[in-house]
């Protein structure tokens, strides 16, 4: 058995599995033209399939469409009509002045003409109640109409310095919604804003349009930055344009076939989906850097052809294990209760499998066709700094082994406390799912929403759906009396907020008819109200359709408040249930009815509740699978113990940074743990592979130096590329993506530092070894203490 200058086994002296791998790679290289043609042809349908991948960047688009809450919301919409609510706030010094009222009236009429839009305001309510409205003649009458009851102010339709135009958009998410909002914007521009201090646009449709537009604007930026980063570092690392072309072409094919795979599955990109292609690209780039670095480091006495086969066979196991570990790690996201995150796990896992195929077929073919160069004298000089570092690191990590290991453990423990809390002294980290908090603080929609929160009862909508069987008649006086008491109890509860339901609508009908807004307190008055409801349901069903069905068996109350997170919605649900139980006890007629809550509010609460289980379960499953992978590949007690030390250290310190800086987990940052673990484990796999390779021939110090020389430089540059790739997300407009990019880059950098410090320090302790200068004799027979 012969060895090269580094002590690496000569390819022609190996047998068994490596011999099989070498024969396979010789076949691949021999069939290089066929392989290149195959991937080029395959890219054509993949590119077409990629164009079929849709987009839905709304936060609620993350939830499974078959989720019981979503299904129930669709059933609710079938009864009361669907639609997303948007709000236009018309601010003015005197909102009841003639110019402001004229502008509001013209705006409502213009918006009503937009297909799929229903517009309502105090002006339209007056127009319907008084059979018309003339801004010049009726301004004072409208003022008295608006201020003669507390209803309009309680619902947030009017204020001391504003009027509200409420919009209901009956559109599909995506392009149809954006076209409708564009038509709304044109109508607003045509009407103008004369007499207004400010016109603000808020609500879910505007937030979702912002997310879609932000993703379209940011995508080319951060993917362009990543590719520029790859170009610069590849040229700096390999000093070869031919190598750069081979890597870029391979990355392009990896991306094309991965997107084609998503298209085959009928995928639709959501708020977190841009991480899919980026994760695939950074993993592919790291793999190609490892392959090319091993190939470029050719002994002078070996031919390029033989050395290419050796390099591929030598890195096959480590690269395959690292890609497999990353793939199954992302596949572990399938345990999430959120469909978008489950899809992301499947897409990344499938994309990484395709990346593995491309990396070990197309890239070797391109290496040979483009004749990518091996190490030159100039390159050897350029890498001398790392050779010097490789000689220093073993001694340094031995000397400071205890501070390095204990320091890593203390920081990791602090990270655990940061995530899960410490009893009453420190509460666990709370997930953040409020969509507006994902928006850039400098955006107009964010500023408008902050103002809206200050002057409106809230922006979170929850519907309380009450339904009975076909025998129920909500127009029965006992039913109406019970529903009115329930609405009154909800409205009086500070935890609930603003409430509007069928009793409110009937009160407004009375008020519009100059009969006051008081609920009748006698049986005769209730009988008249019941008759009025039955008449409205037949003669003017559109007047009550949003709150009662045609059969008068179902009704709903719309609750608007400031709840944004799971705990607030849980309290809201508890108060709703409490008041319903009290009301049904006082009004037995309501016992025939069933109550449930639907709407965006409960869905956000459900998503918030799902974030932490997604983080914990997927991370635990990922860690377990990667641990088993190490166990199978390395069969070493030291490897089993030290497997994930750098990655776990990096992830936990990252959570500590989040806690210190006040960042809350969100739909993107909960994925960092699985992403970093799956990505950074590549480094540990390559580290241990070459450590064992060196350990079979020498001492721990010699094995560490061999590892740093063979894999250290590739680990360093692969980490730089990976961290730089994810750091590009810092240029995204959506805040969770910004945070994901910065924190992931930080964690990958910390993992690399631990690879070069804490990991070798731990190995010194596990093997109970000393540097060669301190040992009485070479410790080639040292046995690790598992």
């Amino acid at each position: 058995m012969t060895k090269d200058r580094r002590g690496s086994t000569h390819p022609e002296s190996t047998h068994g599995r490596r011999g099989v791998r070498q024969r396979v790679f010789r076949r691949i290289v021999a069939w290089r033209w066929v392989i290149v043609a195959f991937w080029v042809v395959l890219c054509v349908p993949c590119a077409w399939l990629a164009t079929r991948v849709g987009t839905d960047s709304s936060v609620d688009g993350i939830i499974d469409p078959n989720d019981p809450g979503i299904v129930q919301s669709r059933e609710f919409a079938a009864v009361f009509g669907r639609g997303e609510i948007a709000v236009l706030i018309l601010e003015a010094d005197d909102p009841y002045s003639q110019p402001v009222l004229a502008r509001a009236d013209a705006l409502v009429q213009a918006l009503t003409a937009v297909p799929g839009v229903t517009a309502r305001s105090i002006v339209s309510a007056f127009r319907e109640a008084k059979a018309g409205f003339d801004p010049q003649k009726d301004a004072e009458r409208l003022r008295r109409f608006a201020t003669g009851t507390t209803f309009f102010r309680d619902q947030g339709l009017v204020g001391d310095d504003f009027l509200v135009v409420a919009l209901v958009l009956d559109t599909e998410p995506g392009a149809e919604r954006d076209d409708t909002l564009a038509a709304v914007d044109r109508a607003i521009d045509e009407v103008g804003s004369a007499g207004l201090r400010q016109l603000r646009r808020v609500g879910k449709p505007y937030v979702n349009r912002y997310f879609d537009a932000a993703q379209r604007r940011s995508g080319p930026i951060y993917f362009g930055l990543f590719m520029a980063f790859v170009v610069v570092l590849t040229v700096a690392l390999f000093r070869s344009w031919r190598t750069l072309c081979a890597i870029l072409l391979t990355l392009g094919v990896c991306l094309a076939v991965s997107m084609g795979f998503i298209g085959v599955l009928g995928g639709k990109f959501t708020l977190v989906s841009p991480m899919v292609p980026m994760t695939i690209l950074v993993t592919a780039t790291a793999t190609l850097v490892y392959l090319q670095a091993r190939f470029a480091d050719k002994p002078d006495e070996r031919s390029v052809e033989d050395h290419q086969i050796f390099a591929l066979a030598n890195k096959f196991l480590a690269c395959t294990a690292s890609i497999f570990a990353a793939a199954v790690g992302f596949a572990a996201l399938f345990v999430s209760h959120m469909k978008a995150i489950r899809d992301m796990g499947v897409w990344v896992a499938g994309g990484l499998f395709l990346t593995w195929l491309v990396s070990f077929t197309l890239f070797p073919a391109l290496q040979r066709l483009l004749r990518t160069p091996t190490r030159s004298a100039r390159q050897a000089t350029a890498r001398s700094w790392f050779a010097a570092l490789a000689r220093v690191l073993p001694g340094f990590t031995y000397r400071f082994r205890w501070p390095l290991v204990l320091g890593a453990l203390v920081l990791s423990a602090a990270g655990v406390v940061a995530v899960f809390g410490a009893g009453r002294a420190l509460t666990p980290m709370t997930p953040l799912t409020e969509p507006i908090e994902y928006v850039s603080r400098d955006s107009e929609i964010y500023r408008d929403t902050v103002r809206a929160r200050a002057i409106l009862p809230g922006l979170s909508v929850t519907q309380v759906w009450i339904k009975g069987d076909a025998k129920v008649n909500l127009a029965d006086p006992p039913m109406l009396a019970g529903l009115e008491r329930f609405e009154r109890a909800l409205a009086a509860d500070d935890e609930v907020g603003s409430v509007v339901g069928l009793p409110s609508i009937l009160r407004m009908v009375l008020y519009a008819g100059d009969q006051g807004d008081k609920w009748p307190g006698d049986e005769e008055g209730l009988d008249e109200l019941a008759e009025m409801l039955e008449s409205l349901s037949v003669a003017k069903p559109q007047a009550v359709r949003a709150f009662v069905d045609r059969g008068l068996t179902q009704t709903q109350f719309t609750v608007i408040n400031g709840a944004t997170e799971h705990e607030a919605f849980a309290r809201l649900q508890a108060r709703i249930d409490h008041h319903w139980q009290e009301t049904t006890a006082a009004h037995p007629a309501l016992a025939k009815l069933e109550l449930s809550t639907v709407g965006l509010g409960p869905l956000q609460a459900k998503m918030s509740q799902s974030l932490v289980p997604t983080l914990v379960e997927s991370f635990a499953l990922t860690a377990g699978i990667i641990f088993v992978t190490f166990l199978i590949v390395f069969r070493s007690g030291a490897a089993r113990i030290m497997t994930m030390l750098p990655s776990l250290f990096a992830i936990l310190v990252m959570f500590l940074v989040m806690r210190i800086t006040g960042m809350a987990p969100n739909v993107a940052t909960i994925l960092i743990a699985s992403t970093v673990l799956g990505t950074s484990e590549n480094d540990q796999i390559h580290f241990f592979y070459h450590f064992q390779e060196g350990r079979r021939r020498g001492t721990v110090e010699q094995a560490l130096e061999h590892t740093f020389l063979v894999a250290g430089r590739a680990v360093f540059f692969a980490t730089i590329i990976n961290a730089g790739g994810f750091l590009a997300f810092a240029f995204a407009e959506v805040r969770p993506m910004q945070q994901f990019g910065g924190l992931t880059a930080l964690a990958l950098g910390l993992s690399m530092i631990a690879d070069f410090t804490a990991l070798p320090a731990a190995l010194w302790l596990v093997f109970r070894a000393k540097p060669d200068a301190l040992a009485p004799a070479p410790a080639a027979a040292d046995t690790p203490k598992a």
Side-chain angles (χ1 to χ4, degrees):
M1 180 181 293
T2 60
K3 300 179 181 179
D4 62 23
R5 291 185 303 179
R6 299 190 176 285
S8 299
T9 305
H10 184 271
E12 293 165 358
S13 65
T14 59
H15 302 284
R17 295 177 183 176
R18 182 171 292 182
V20 173
R21 293 199 293 267
Q22 290 180 0
R23 289 194 294 272
V24 170
F25 284 121
R26 288 188 187 279
R27 291 288 184 91
I28 289 173
V29 172
W31 287 73
R32 53 190 176 275
W33 284 108
V34 175
I35 290 172
V36 170
F38 169 79
W39 288 113
V40 170
V41 171
L42 185 61
C43 282
V44 176
C46 287
W48 178 81
L49 287 167
T51 64
R52 313 293 295 177
V53 177
T55 302
D56 180 9
S57 297
S58 62
V59 174
D60 47 311
I62 295 174
I63 303 175
D64 190 342
N66 297 318
D67 179 89
I70 294 287
V71 173
Q72 194 174 42
S73 294
R74 288 199 294 264
E75 294 172 350
F76 176 88
V79 177
F80 300 104
R82 67 173 186 171
E84 295 182 328
I85 297 176
V87 174
L88 304 179
I89 304 175
L90 283 59
E91 295 185 8
D93 294 332
D94 181 6
Y96 301 109
S97 65
Q98 183 271 331
V100 174
L101 294 177
R103 199 69 55 205
D105 186 42
L107 188 58
V108 169
Q109 294 186 55
L111 293 173
T112 302
V114 177
V117 176
T118 301
R120 302 284 297 174
S121 72
I122 185 64
V123 179
S124 58
F126 180 89
R127 179 183 289 278
E128 293 175 4
K130 306 303 179 182
F133 172 70
D134 185 335
Q136 295 182 345
K137 298 178 181 180
D138 297 327
E140 190 58 34
R141 289 179 62 206
L142 188 144
R143 184 193 297 269
R144 291 196 299 271
F145 177 79
T147 57
T149 177
T150 61
F151 175 80
F152 299 114
R153 182 178 288 272
D154 291 343
Q155 302 306 315
L157 293 176
V158 299
D160 292 337
D161 61 350
F162 69 90
L163 300 178
V164 162
V165 177
L167 307 179
V168 179
L169 276 61
D170 185 6
T171 61
E172 294 291 339
E176 184 180 346
R177 179 207 59 220
D178 291 348
D179 292 342
T180 301
L181 286 178
V184 169
D185 291 339
R186 287 193 298 270
I188 293 172
D189 292 338
E190 291 171 3
V191 171
S193 58
L196 302 179
R197 189 172 67 227
Q198 183 79 37
L199 193 153
R200 301 184 186 276
R201 302 167 173 87
V202 298
K204 175 186 171 185
Y206 286 106
V207 174
N208 289 340
R209 181 176 69 170
Y210 170 88
F211 286 143
D212 283 346
Q215 295 289 58
R216 287 193 296 269
R217 289 190 298 265
S218 300
I221 295 175
Y222 44 68
F223 281 107
L225 287 172
F226 172 72
M227 295 312 296
F229 197 66
V230 170
V231 169
V232 171
L233 281 183
T234 301
V235 172
L237 180 59
F238 299 112
R239 310 293 178 91
S240 166
W241 291 103
R242 285 177 288 173
T243 299
L244 175 64
C245 289
I247 289 176
L248 292 181
L249 289 172
T250 305
L251 290 178
V253 173
C254 288
L255 182 61
V257 296
S258 297
M259 290 298 295
F261 170 69
I262 297 172
V264 167
L265 297 180
K268 179 181 289 188
F269 269 22
T270 63
L271 189 64
V272 298
S273 297
M275 289 181 277
V276 173
M278 183 62 78
T279 301
I280 291 170
L281 284 175
V282 297
T283 304
T285 303
T287 301
L288 299 180
V289 166
Y290 282 121
L291 292 176
Q292 182 62 25
R294 192 63 169 135
F295 169 69
D297 194 17
K298 183 186 77 68
D300 294 335
E301 66 272 15
R302 299 290 145 232
S303 69
V304 172
E305 292 76 11
D306 285 346
H307 182 66
Q308 181 191 19
I309 303 304
F310 163 73
L312 290 168
N314 180 256
K315 299 302 291 185
F316 177 80
L317 180 60
C319 288
T320 299
S322 63
I323 291 178
F324 170 79
V328 296
F330 281 102
L333 292 174
F334 198 76
V335 302
S336 174
H337 299 286
M338 292 180 282
K339 182 177 184 299
I341 294 179
R342 293 202 306 269
D343 287 345
M344 177 184 172
V346 173
W347 296 346
V348 174
L352 290 178
F353 172 73
L354 294 170
T355 294
W356 175 78
L357 288 177
V358 174
S359 298
F360 282 104
T361 56
L362 179 62
F363 187 64
L366 291 175
Q367 280 182 313
R368 183 63 62 88
L369 289 174
L370 296 175
R371 292 181 295 175
T372 58
T374 55
R375 183 184 56 172
S376 65
R378 180 181 179 185
Q379 288 173 311
T381 302
R383 73 186 299 274
S384 60
W385 67 271
F386 205 92
L389 183 64
R391 288 190 291 271
V392 170
L393 280 175
F396 171 82
T397 56
Y398 174 79
R399 186 177 305 112
F400 297 101
R401 59 194 182 281
W402 284 110
L404 289 171
V405 172
L406 292 177
L409 292 176
V410 169
L411 288 174
S412 298
V416 173
V417 173
V419 176
F420 299 105
R424 296 181 179 179
L426 185 67
T427 60
M429 295 180 75
T430 303
L432 180 66
T433 56
E434 168 62 7
I436 194 62
E437 296 301 329
Y438 293 173
V439 171
S440 170
R441 296 291 190 268
D442 298 326
S443 65
E444 185 177 14
I445 181 64
Y446 184 81
R447 293 193 298 270
D448 286 351
T449 302
V450 170
R451 171 60 177 163
R453 283 175 170 173
I455 62 177
L456 298 180
L459 294 174
S460 177
V461 178
T462 301
Q463 275 95 19
V464 181
W465 185 7
I466 298 174
K467 51 187 174 180
D469 57 28
K471 298 178 182 180
V472 167
N473 183 3
L474 295 177
D476 288 343
M479 286 282 189
L480 289 177
L483 293 175
E484 191 277 335
R485 171 168 174 166
F486 179 57
E487 180 182 275
R488 186 160 27 94
L490 290 177
D493 192 323
D494 293 337
E495 197 73 52
V496 174
S498 172
V499 183
V500 59
L502 182 60
S504 296
I505 300 304
L506 295 177
R507 285 174 51 215
M508 284 303 97
V509 173
L510 292 174
Y511 180 74
D514 296 326
Q515 301 178 52
D517 66 347
K518 301 300 181 184
W519 186 263
D522 54 16
E523 292 185 6
E524 183 180 354
L526 281 176
D527 289 339
E528 292 177 358
L529 207 60
E531 292 177 6
M532 182 178 68
L533 174 58
E534 290 182 332
S535 176
L536 285 172
S537 67
V538 175
K540 294 182 178 180
Q542 70 279 3
V544 293
R545 179 180 182 271
F547 292 94
V548 68
D549 69 326
R550 286 182 177 272
L552 299 180
T553 62
Q554 302 181 58
T555 186
Q556 66 100 357
F557 295 86
T558 297
V559 175
I560 302 175
N561 64 7
T564 58
E565 301 304 327
H566 171 66
E567 290 76 11
F569 284 115
R571 292 193 300 270
L572 173 62
Q573 182 69 60
R575 299 308 298 164
I576 291 173
D577 292 339
H578 169 75
H579 291 305
W580 180 249
Q581 291 171 6
E582 283 193 341
T583 304
T584 53
H587 294 266
L590 299 184
K592 303 175 184 178
L593 304 176
E594 175 188 345
L595 179 146
S596 58
T597 55
V598 298
L600 180 60
L603 287 177
Q604 283 183 217
K606 186 181 185 72
M607 185 172 67
S608 174
Q609 195 175 22
S610 300
L611 289 182
V612 172
T614 294
L615 169 64
V616 176
E617 293 171 7
S618 64
F619 178 74
L621 189 55
T622 300
I625 292 172
I626 292 177
F627 182 84
V628 171
T629 301
F630 269 72
L631 188 64
I632 294 173
V633 172
F634 296 113
R635 304 176 185 276
S636 164
R640 289 198 297 270
I641 296 172
M642 298 296 109
T643 294
M644 290 172 288
L645 176 64
S647 296
L648 292 176
F649 161 77
I651 291 167
L652 292 171
V653 172
M654 181 270 300
F655 281 122
L656 179 61
V657 171
M658 287 181 65
R659 190 67 184 238
I660 293 173
T661 57
M663 293 186 194
N666 54 51
V667 294
T669 55
I670 60 162
L671 302 172
I672 294 178
S674 295
T675 301
V676 171
L677 188 59
T679 303
S680 62
E681 279 304 306
N682 297 348
D683 300 339
Q684 280 93 63
I685 287 176
H686 287 277
F687 187 101
F688 270 104
Y689 181 83
H690 292 291
F691 177 78
Q692 286 192 315
E693 191 177 57
R695 189 75 180 98
R696 285 192 293 267
R697 297 185 301 272
T699 63
V700 169
E701 182 179 16
Q702 293 167 355
L704 287 174
E705 183 174 345
H706 170 80
T707 301
F708 289 133
L709 285 171
V710 174
R713 191 164 179 259
V715 167
F716 176 80
F717 280 100
T719 301
I720 295 298
I721 291 174
N722 292 347
F726 285 112
L727 190 60
F729 282 121
F731 293 90
E733 296 182 40
V734 180
R735 297 184 70 240
M737 298 301 294
Q738 294 174 353
Q739 295 170 352
F740 174 86
L743 291 171
T744 303
L746 170 66
L748 291 173
L750 289 171
S751 177
M752 180 188 68
I753 292 173
D755 286 338
F756 292 153
T757 56
L759 180 56
L763 288 174
W764 282 115
L765 296 175
V766 169
F767 280 85
R768 298 183 180 180
K770 295 181 179 180
D772 296 342
L774 301 178
D782 286 349
T783 302
K785 306 286 185 179

